[in-house]
Amino acid sequence: MASTVTPGVAEHPDGAREQPSSPGLGVDSAGDARRRRDLRKMKAVATGFLVFAALVYLLTRFIEHRDGDDVAAWVGFVQAASEAGMVGALADWFAVTALFRHPLGIPIPHTALIRKKKDDIGDQLGGFIEENFMTPDVVVRRAEQIDLPRRLSTWVADPKNAPRISAEAARAIQLASEMLRDEDVEQLIQAALKWAAEPEWAPPTGRILEQLIAEDRLEPVFQMLCDRAHEWALGSQDLIDRVVDRDGPQWTPRFVNVLVGDKIHRELVEFTHKVQNNPDHELRRAMHEFVEKFATDLQHDPEMIARFENIKTELIGRDEVTGAASTAWKTGKAVIEQMLDDPNSTLRNTLADSIIQLATRIRDDRPLQEKMNGWVARVAHHVAVNYSQEIISVITDTVRGWDADDTSRKIELQVGRDLQFIRINGTVVGALAGLAIHTISVLIFH
């Protein structure tokens, strides 16, 4: 196949031209280099067939000229075969070359078809895919046939895939962490706090307290407070002695202070013990009454509501609150990233185990798989109906964005080696056809 040199394109010593890479196609890969070598070899072979046919033709012409009327009969047969072989080789060389470039650099009409028709090829390819692959019926039927939930759950539930699952899950979390900048998270926290502070908290808090009281959910809290109070009372002897020594009359003898301190301690321990063990104690009833009144005031007392809202606003508006939230995010993020980097960390193992357990449940539950297949089919139908044009436009727009010369070169690398067999076959078939025609002519007219 003849090759032309495009102005402005560098020529390599081995004859391969350095082409500008298209953003849509990318740089040449190792596979492209191998295909380029194979293509050059096949071009050489195909050209060799043409040269061989030409040499045979010239040899027969020389013999014919040398021997004149005494030329051997076989010369005519060989000459006809070689001549037709040359014609077939040249015709197929022209056809193959015309797909990718102008033969011999001559701008003959209807040549360099791929360069000129690149956009049309992309549109036709997109239309073909849309008509044959993106119709709702085809997409839904294929989605159901794939049985994605069963296949995916079976693969994930396989224990030998656990390391990869752990690595992929960790990578996904790390990617999400990288996408979330600390500044954005801090702004989100501030916005969330501001949003949370806008509605009144007092009435909802009062209603929650009323519900907890009605369901007797606060009694364990009161019991815990009583237990802690009694524990404190048991260990309060030293504190009571210091208070009595400090605040008692200076003229009081030391032993009197000790007796007073012991009396206060015994009374306090006895009192807290009674409160701890008697659910109907006056103090515990007073605690219940206090909470009930507090719940009512939070809902109906304007002064209490205003005080509660002021405390809320002051609390949320403090820099320490937003700063603590931001610090917690940064610290938690650093800890998570450190644990994700360790393949044997508890976080990664727990994450992988949870995913495998979920996959095992799906794998062993065929009704659930059928339900999930229905979900997949519905999503596929929705995408096919509403977004097929957008999906097809990815193909057409991508092809339109390719460089015409680079596109032609890439396609030639993919199919050019096979196209060289057309040239070889053209030489062989042409020779056989010429031989057959000459043979028939001899049989008819001699």
Side-chain angles (χ1 to χ4, degrees), residues 129-149 151 366 370 373-385:
I129 294 176
E130 181 179 11
E131 294 175 3
N132 295 276
F133 296 95
M134 291 302 298
T135 59
D137 293 340
V138 172
V139 171
V140 171
R141 183 167 61 253
R142 185 56 181 162
E144 293 174 344
Q145 291 174 350
I146 290 176
D147 199 6
L148 183 61
R151 292 187 178 185
R366 187 57 190 173
E370 295 293 345
N373 274 326
W375 298 342
V376 173
R378 291 178 60 183
V379 171
H381 182 273
H382 178 76
V383 171
V385 171

Side-chain angles (χ1 to χ4, degrees), residues 84-393:
M86 283 193 302
V87 174
L90 289 171
D92 287 338
W93 164 82
F94 182 89
V96 171
T97 304
L99 288 173
F100 306 104
R101 60 182 64 84
H102 298 300
L104 301 176
I106 302 173
I108 303 172
H110 304 292
T111 59
L113 296 178
I114 292 180
R115 295 183 185 181
K116 295 178 181 178
K117 299 292 185 179
K118 171 180 67 70
D119 294 344
D120 294 338
I121 292 174
D123 293 339
Q124 293 172 7
L125 177 61
F128 174 79
I129 294 176
E130 181 179 11
E131 294 175 3
N132 295 276
F133 296 95
M134 291 302 298
T135 59
D137 293 340
V138 172
V139 171
V140 171
R141 183 167 61 253
R142 185 56 181 162
E144 293 174 344
Q145 291 174 350
I146 290 176
D147 199 6
L148 183 61
R150 181 187 62 80
R151 292 187 178 185
L152 183 59
S153 62
T154 301
W155 185 89
V156 173
D158 191 340
K160 69 180 182 181
N161 296 320
R164 183 172 179 183
I165 294 171
S166 175
E168 293 296 337
R171 189 175 296 111
I173 297 176
Q174 287 174 337
L175 178 61
S177 177
E178 292 173 359
M179 294 173 61
L180 293 174
R181 298 187 306 170
D182 293 342
E183 297 81 1
D184 296 334
V185 174
E186 291 176 1
Q187 293 178 1
L188 178 63
I189 292 174
Q190 293 175 0
L193 291 174
K194 182 179 180 181
W195 172 81
E198 288 180 357
E200 287 187 339
W201 284 14
T205 304
R207 288 192 293 270
I208 293 173
L209 281 177
E210 274 190 347
Q211 186 67 27
L212 293 176
I213 293 171
E215 298 176 1
D216 200 21
R217 298 291 183 86
L218 294 181
E219 184 58 33
V221 178
F222 293 148
Q223 185 63 48
M224 181 187 67
L225 293 175
C226 294
D227 293 341
R228 295 295 178 269
H230 183 63
E231 292 174 2
W232 175 85
L234 291 174
S236 64
Q237 180 68 69
D238 292 339
L239 175 62
I240 294 174
D241 290 341
R242 289 197 301 271
V243 172
V244 172
D245 289 340
R246 184 189 63 198
D247 297 336
Q250 297 296 324
W251 50 267
T252 305
R254 172 68 179 172
F255 75 92
V256 174
N257 289 342
V258 172
L259 292 175
V260 172
D262 289 341
K263 177 65 174 178
I264 294 175
H265 180 258
R266 287 195 303 272
E267 292 293 337
L268 181 61
V269 170
E270 183 179 357
F271 177 76
T272 55
H273 178 73
K274 291 178 180 179
V275 175
Q276 179 188 25
N277 293 278
N278 183 8
D280 197 39
H281 193 276
E282 292 182 359
L283 180 60
R284 294 182 69 154
R285 289 202 305 269
M287 294 169 63
H288 279 278
E289 292 173 359
F290 170 79
V291 174
E292 291 174 1
K293 185 176 185 307
F294 183 62
T296 301
D297 291 343
L298 285 177
Q299 298 179 73
H300 308 293
D301 185 359
E303 183 179 354
M304 177 61 72
I305 293 175
R307 291 171 60 187
F308 190 88
E309 294 301 321
N310 289 336
I311 295 173
K312 174 201 70 176
T313 303
E314 181 180 356
L315 177 64
I316 293 180
R318 294 181 66 87
D319 294 337
E320 292 84 348
V321 175
T322 56
S326 300
T327 301
W329 158 254
K330 293 178 181 178
T331 304
K333 177 182 177 182
V335 171
I336 291 174
E337 289 178 347
Q338 183 178 3
M339 295 180 69
L340 290 175
D341 289 335
D342 182 6
N344 299 317
S345 67
T346 304
L347 177 61
R348 286 186 60 163
N349 292 333
T350 302
L351 186 62
D353 291 342
S354 300
I355 295 175
I356 292 174
Q357 290 175 5
L358 176 61
T360 303
R361 180 189 172 189
I362 296 174
R363 182 197 61 188
D364 299 337
D365 190 343
R366 187 57 190 173
L368 178 59
Q369 294 176 19
E370 295 293 345
K371 183 180 293 186
M372 296 178 70
N373 274 326
W375 298 342
V376 173
R378 291 178 60 183
V379 171
H381 182 273
H382 178 76
V383 171
V385 171
N386 297 282
Y387 299 102
S388 60
Q389 290 295 330
E390 286 74 6
I391 295 174
I392 297 304
S393 67

